[in-house]
Amino acid sequence: AGRKAVIVQNSDAGTKERSYGHALVAGVDKSPLKIRKGMSKKRMAFRSRVRPFIKVVNHNHMMPTRYNLDLPSDAKGKISAAEESKKVASMKLVRQVFQSR
């Protein structure tokens, strides 16, 4: 069973590294946990965090649905999975977008 994700960038023709059609996707790796009344503020903040993932996926391995999510246009340009340092910064940005929803 696959995970649900949102397409951030699409490449139908492919690139030099990936000669096939692919897309950069972002999704929820770990959803927030339940919060109870007796928990401390620190524990509630930790449990309400969203852990995102960013991944490049071949078009053959995706199943499109009718659902969509409008990402801010400034966030779309900043998300990248090319280098590890850029990927970490991108995951922080995606986490902010997902938690704001």
Side-chain angles (χ1 to χ4, degrees):
R3 298 182 287 182
K4 282 73 177 172
V6 178
I7 296 175
V8 178
Q9 291 174 337
N10 191 24
S11 176
D12 288 326
T15 60
K16 195 165 121 179
E17 299 89 31
R18 294 181 171 86
S19 59
Y20 49 87
H22 59 277
L24 178 68
V25 297
V28 177
D29 199 21
K30 185 178 175 188
S31 58
L33 299 171
K34 279 189 177 179
I35 295 176
R36 292 179 192 86
K37 189 168 55 173
M39 290 185 181
S40 65
K41 298 275 184 193
K42 182 180 175 184
R43 186 160 183 177
M44 283 197 291
F46 184 76
R47 289 175 70 95
S48 62
R49 284 195 327 195
V50 174
R51 181 161 186 249
F53 69 89
I54 297 173
K55 191 175 186 180
V56 177
V57 181
N58 189 337
H59 283 170
N60 294 338
H61 302 287
M62 290 195 302
M63 188 177 82
T65 64
R66 62 190 170 121
Y67 303 108
N68 59 7
L69 171 71
D70 294 328
L71 290 173
S73 59
D74 59 332
K76 283 186 181 182
K78 293 180 183 176
I79 297 174
S80 173
E83 299 172 17
E84 192 62 32
S85 61
K86 286 184 180 180
K87 189 173 180 179
V88 171
S90 298
M91 286 179 67
K92 288 179 184 176
L93 181 65
V94 169
R95 179 185 291 148
Q96 288 176 350
V97 171
F98 285 168
Q99 282 185 342
S100 67
R101 291 195 44 87

